[in-house]
Amino acid sequence: MRELLSRLLFNHNLSTVDGGENILYHLSDWPQDNCRSTSKQTSFRQGNSPDFNPSGDHNDLDYSRKSGSEYHESVLLDEVTHYLAPDNNKLFLDATLGGGGHSEELLRRGARVIGLDQDPAALSFAKARLSTYDDKFGAIQGNFREFGDILSTIGISGLDGLLLDLGISSRQVDDADRGFSFSKPGPLDMRMDPDAEITAAELVNNCEEEELARVFYEYGEERASRRIASAIVNRRKEKLFECTTDLANLVESILPRRGKKHPATRVFQALRIAVNNELRVLEEALAEVPKWLRPGGRLVIISFHSLEDRIVKSYLKRCSRSVIDRPEWPEPKQNPDYCFKLVMQKGIIPSKEEVRNNPRARSARLRVAERLPIGVSNAE
Ligand SMILES: C[S@@+](CC[C@H](N)C(=O)[O-])C[C@H]1O[C@@H](n2cnc3c(N)ncnc32)[C@H](O)[C@@H]1O
């Protein structure tokens, strides 16, 4: 357990998918076309969302009831569709398929889509929802950190667009048995992939106090991280944590509720990020993207908290500078990572109307970059 925890926390790779065991549905022949996105810019809302920093706090609302959506209300749907500019010739990877809402819109406009999700329940739902597009849609279970291997396995060599709509779906939050919600009693689980190695309960019951404090501070930006970690360690001497509300109540006993936000929001976010190794997985996936996008192909990413967005923003910044310079260098150098054009400088945030209709969208931020015809690639 100790070895497993140290592999998982902070800087370590924890593979949750056996490449040979991915579930492949409807693997039709995916012809390889070389297409260039031609969409024109339209005006979407750019800037700082007041709710953006720091927590995506998906937990504090019953989204399915508020939005009226059956599974998950797709966020920034028009904007994603606009920037991916789907048409009959294009092939997209929706690497966070979820309820299939974004994929459905791309398919409706004639594109072909490969949908990837590590949650088999999401795959089943999306597969049923998109069954009328059998000839244009394939659903695969897997972690997007391994999307390159997965695409190779099914014979794909290049994409016209890749979508990452990060985090968890409303259905995952609302299903108490998944353990993501602090407002409903359920097992303290939080694994997106139910076969992944470690649950939130195992982290909470086995981590050293110092490690727990670091998880809460680094992944939840929780200022009371040490106090909470210490209270957890004291309480687990009496009784181990099994239930979501046990943990939520303990946090609330330390940080009394102020305003609408539940005091356990940040602790739950931190545990979810740690259990699913979310930041590391994102970094690994981003590093693979240039190899797979064809020139003109677009990377579209929606993030829901500042930790994710920081990773996306700094990656895109690094890859969109043609020249780099350092004080110790005699002159600037060509940037070996240069391969993207930023489609917009600032991220796009949802309109007020979207946030009114779907409060979960309020912390979303969309960034888009376009692959340039330069740099290392197996898709050119
Ligand atoms: C916000 S939801 C996507 C919703 C979807 N765009 C829609 O319109 O219905 C995110 C989904 O990504 C999945 N997911 C998150 N991280 C993943 C990863 N590393 N690999 C594969 N799937 C992941 C989650 O299981 C969840 O179903």
Side-chain angles (χ1 to χ4, degrees):
M1 174 60 68
R2 188 118 301 282
E3 196 205 325
L4 183 59
L5 288 175
S6 66
R7 256 200 301 139
L8 180 64
L9 292 179
F10 310 111
N11 253 333
H12 300 275
N13 299 338
L14 175 73
S15 177
T16 56
V17 177
D18 175 346
E21 304 228 329
N22 295 320
I23 300 169
L24 308 182
Y25 295 117
H26 307 303
L27 283 186
S28 14
D29 198 12
W30 301 95
Q32 304 298 297
D33 301 315
N34 227 346
C35 311
R36 202 181 165 81
S37 163
T38 54
S39 69
K40 292 201 189 78
Q41 291 251 17
T42 53
S43 165
F44 294 116
R45 205 169 153 226
Q46 297 199 20
N48 290 324
S49 155
D51 289 304
F52 187 68
N53 197 338
S55 160
D57 62 357
H58 298 177
N59 262 316
D60 56 348
L61 293 167
D62 179 349
Y63 298 107
S64 62
R65 185 168 54 76
K66 298 232 171 198
S67 69
S69 146
E70 194 186 346
Y71 188 100
H72 174 88
E73 184 120 352
S74 300
V75 171
L76 291 162
L77 183 61
D78 290 346
E79 291 82 350
V80 166
T81 310
H82 170 78
Y83 286 109
L84 285 175
D87 67 33
N88 287 339
N89 294 315
K90 291 187 180 168
L91 174 63
F92 296 112
L93 174 65
D94 180 350
T96 48
L97 180 63
H102 286 113
S103 282
E104 184 172 55
E105 194 54 28
L106 300 174
L107 289 161
R108 208 175 60 75
R109 291 167 187 249
R112 289 161 298 137
V113 177
I114 301 162
L116 183 65
D117 206 293
Q118 60 181 326
D119 181 352
L123 277 191
S124 304
F125 181 88
K127 198 186 148 214
R129 176 179 184 171
L130 303 174
S131 58
T132 49
Y133 297 100
D134 258 8
D135 54 331
K136 287 174 170 275
F137 174 68
I140 304 173
Q141 187 186 351
N143 192 307
F144 63 59
R145 81 184 327 170
E146 297 178 347
F147 83 85
D149 291 343
I150 293 169
L151 291 179
S152 295
T153 307
I154 60 172
I156 302 294
S157 64
L159 298 167
D160 299 297
L162 193 155
L163 172 63
L164 286 168
D165 175 15
L166 298 170
I168 47 177
S169 66
S170 302
R171 172 62 66 91
Q172 286 166 323
V173 177
D174 293 339
D175 181 351
D177 288 342
R178 303 298 299 267
F180 290 108
S181 170
F182 42 68
S183 56
K184 296 174 186 162
L188 193 53
D189 189 316
M190 299 197 194
R191 289 170 300 172
M192 293 187 211
D193 171 359
D195 292 328
E197 284 173 281
I198 199 157
T199 66
E202 284 165 331
L203 277 184
V204 167
N205 290 325
N206 291 289
C207 276
E208 302 284 349
E209 183 175 329
E210 193 57 34
E211 279 173 327
L212 276 179
R214 196 171 157 204
V215 167
F216 300 149
Y217 188 73
E218 290 196 8
Y219 297 160
E221 300 179 282
E222 173 55 72
R223 279 194 246 144
S225 56
R226 288 183 182 284
R227 267 195 295 149
I228 295 168
S230 159
I232 287 174
V233 169
N234 282 333
R235 145 70 211 259
R236 77 187 187 198
K237 286 180 197 150
E238 312 290 320
K239 186 170 178 284
L240 293 180
F241 288 88
E242 285 171 9
C243 179
T244 46
T245 44
D246 283 352
L247 180 62
N249 293 341
L250 178 98
V251 176
E252 196 169 8
S253 72
I254 299 167
L255 302 176
R257 198 186 275 255
R258 282 198 201 101
K260 273 198 278 178
K261 200 178 242 181
H262 193 289
T265 302
R266 292 167 195 268
V267 164
F268 271 61
Q269 173 188 298
L271 287 172
R272 194 199 85 199
I273 290 174
V275 165
N276 297 287
N277 208 2
E278 289 178 37
L279 304 182
R280 181 74 185 166
V281 162
L282 175 60
E283 285 170 348
E284 288 182 17
L286 290 176
E288 283 293 297
V289 172
K291 292 186 207 147
W292 291 93
L293 277 185
R294 298 181 180 126
R298 286 189 166 179
L299 171 62
V300 172
I301 306 182
I302 305 174
S303 53
F304 288 88
H305 55 74
S306 57
L307 299 172
E308 284 169 348
D309 188 57
R310 212 174 292 154
I311 290 172
V312 175
K313 189 175 163 187
S314 77
Y315 169 77
L316 293 180
K317 193 170 167 194
R318 178 162 59 78
C319 296
S320 58
R321 285 191 187 139
S322 58
V323 168
I324 43 177
D325 199 2
R326 296 233 175 99
E328 66 272 23
W329 292 349
E331 57 187 31
K333 296 181 184 172
Q334 294 294 321
N335 178 6
D337 296 328
Y338 180 46
C339 63
F340 281 122
K341 174 179 94 182
L342 297 184
V343 173
M344 81 275 292
Q345 288 301 322
K346 276 188 149 188
I348 287 181
I349 58 174
S351 66
K352 287 185 179 145
E353 192 193 350
E354 176 168 1
V355 175
R356 216 175 15 253
N357 293 333
N358 178 17
R360 189 221 153 189
R362 70 187 182 278
S363 49
R365 180 179 299 251
L366 176 87
R367 294 189 187 272
V368 183
E370 186 171 301
R371 182 73 168 89
L372 295 167
I374 51 170
V376 186
S377 173
N378 60 4
E380 286 170 47

